[in-house]
Structures are given as structure tokens and as C-alpha cells.
Amino acid sequence: MIKKILNILVLYFALNTFVIAEEEHFLSIGNDKATVVVKVFSSLTCPHCASFHKEIFEKLKINYIDTNQVRFEHHSFPLDLAALNAEKVLRSVSDKEKSFKLLGEIYKKQNQWAVGSDINVINESIKKIGLEFGLNASQIDKSLKDEKIQDQILNERINAQKNYKISSTPTIYVNKKKYEGEHDFDTFKKTLNKYLKDEI
């Protein structure tokens, strides 16, 4: 626990020393011209984020994203170094479909890797998931050491805090309005259908 708190403090001081980047490199999937955009600000170590991905995203993809009605954006908001490093590995995958499949695996196996007080042990667990997914060891090691990707992620976190006032994860926006409803698909789709109906 002490190690995790120290990691969060290190991340906090890092966040306050980086220059805010103008360009963002968040992951997105779906129709670029979709009139409805779902933005989810999440930390890969957050159990509520994993639950949202499992309970809502998978159904959202089938019913709305794959049918070109909605574009989905995953915005990284790491709450600790473990989440930051997992995000760095995720960013090493350039193909959109593949990156979202890896995101699903990271959330699915969250209890297997996002535990422990030693970041080196956690990194090895993240690496194992990447290897099982089909990434090669050198690709993963390179991403974990990549300061450019780290800068991108931390700068995006700063921008998110500045522009969206994130107080917890996941924070969800549908178009420009914060979603305050229950985190279940039936409730969420009512919000989506309202926006889609307004566009008709």
C-alpha cells in the first residue's frame, strides 16, 4: 500500500512538471463522421473502468459502433504508475481494432496484473498479457521505456483535468455532456438513442 501511495505521489509531481501538448493520441474506434461521440476517461487499474468496459463497451460496439452510429474514444487518465505503464503498452499497438481487443484483455485480467507493491513485478505481469496477446518482448520493453509515449499520456491527463474537471474514473461524456446515469447498458443506450433521435 505504501509503495502504491508513493507511486501516486511520483505521478502527481510528474503531472505538474510536463508541458501541455496540443496534439492528443487517444484511442478511438468507429465512424469518424458519427454525430454521437462517447468519450471515456479511465484508468486501467480502476475496477469501475473495467466494469464499464465489460458491461457497456462490448455491447456498445456491437449495437452502435460497428453499425457506424457512434464513435468511441478511450482517454487515458492513469491514477498510478501501474495504469500508466499498461497504457504505454496499449499505445504500442497501432491497429485500432487490435488495440481495443488488447484493452479488453487488460481490463479482463486486471486482477492478475494490477496488484502488488513492486512496480517491476506489475510490469512483468503486464508484459505477460502483452506476450499472450501476440506482442513481442522487445516491443513491450521498448514501450515501457518510451518517454515520448509517457509524455503524451501524462499531457493528455493534464488536458483532461483542465477541460473536463475529472474527479473520478470512469468519467463519461456523450458529445459535450457528462453522463450521470447508471453504468448499465440499458440505461446508457437510452441516452444514446436520445442523441441519435435528435440527429434525425
Side-chain angles (χ1 to χ4, degrees):
M1 178 61 71
I2 294 176
K3 285 271 190 177
K4 186 165 186 178
I5 293 173
L6 288 175
N7 287 341
I8 294 173
L9 289 175
V10 169
L11 183 59
Y12 172 81
F13 287 116
L15 289 171
N16 285 278
T17 56
F18 278 90
V19 177
I20 296 176
E22 294 183 0
E23 183 181 3
E24 294 191 349
H25 301 267
F26 55 82
L27 301 180
S28 68
I29 190 171
N31 182 6
D32 289 336
K33 296 182 179 180
T35 57
V36 177
V37 179
V38 175
K39 298 176 183 283
V40 178
F41 299 86
S42 56
S43 174
L44 298 182
T45 52
C46 166
H48 299 293
C49 298
S51 178
F52 176 88
H53 195 86
K54 178 182 178 182
E55 300 299 329
I56 295 181
F57 173 78
E58 299 297 343
K59 295 176 182 177
L60 179 66
K61 186 176 186 302
I62 295 171
N63 292 279
Y64 292 92
I65 299 172
D66 291 346
T67 57
N68 295 318
Q69 299 178 80
V70 169
R71 185 172 83 248
F72 182 93
E73 297 177 357
H74 163 75
H75 292 257
S76 58
F77 198 88
L79 298 177
D80 49 45
L81 289 179
L84 174 61
N85 286 350
E87 192 73 42
K88 287 161 72 174
V89 173
L90 181 62
R91 294 289 180 95
S92 71
V93 180
S94 58
D95 181 81
K96 289 183 179 181
E97 288 284 346
K98 190 173 181 181
S99 65
F100 272 91
K101 287 180 180 178
L102 178 56
L103 178 62
E105 285 297 301
I106 290 172
Y107 276 138
K108 181 181 178 181
K109 298 177 180 178
Q110 189 183 76
N111 290 336
Q112 298 177 27
W113 66 268
V115 293
S117 59
D118 190 329
I119 191 62
N120 294 313
V121 173
I122 291 174
N123 285 347
E124 286 301 312
S125 297
I126 295 170
K127 184 175 180 179
K128 181 180 178 182
I129 292 173
L131 291 172
E132 291 173 348
F133 187 75
L135 305 183
N136 61 63
S138 61
Q139 178 183 3
I140 297 172
D141 290 337
K142 182 179 178 181
S143 68
L144 288 170
K145 298 175 182 178
D146 195 322
E147 293 186 1
K148 182 178 179 180
I149 294 178
Q150 177 171 292
D151 288 359
Q152 289 174 356
I153 296 168
L154 294 179
N155 282 328
E156 287 166 24
R157 190 190 191 282
I158 292 172
N159 284 335
Q161 184 63 56
K162 177 182 177 182
N163 297 323
Y164 296 92
K165 310 299 182 186
I166 310 297
S167 60
S168 62
T169 56
T171 293
I172 305 144
Y173 275 80
V174 180
N175 287 356
K176 295 182 179 181
K177 186 174 181 180
K178 186 176 180 180
Y179 175 73
E180 303 281 9
E182 295 294 326
H183 287 192
D184 65 81
F185 182 69
D186 287 339
T187 303
F188 191 67
K189 74 178 183 181
K190 291 179 181 178
T191 297
L192 294 182
N193 289 338
K194 180 180 181 300
Y195 278 95
L196 290 169
K197 183 179 179 181
D198 290 343
E199 294 296 330
I200 296 176

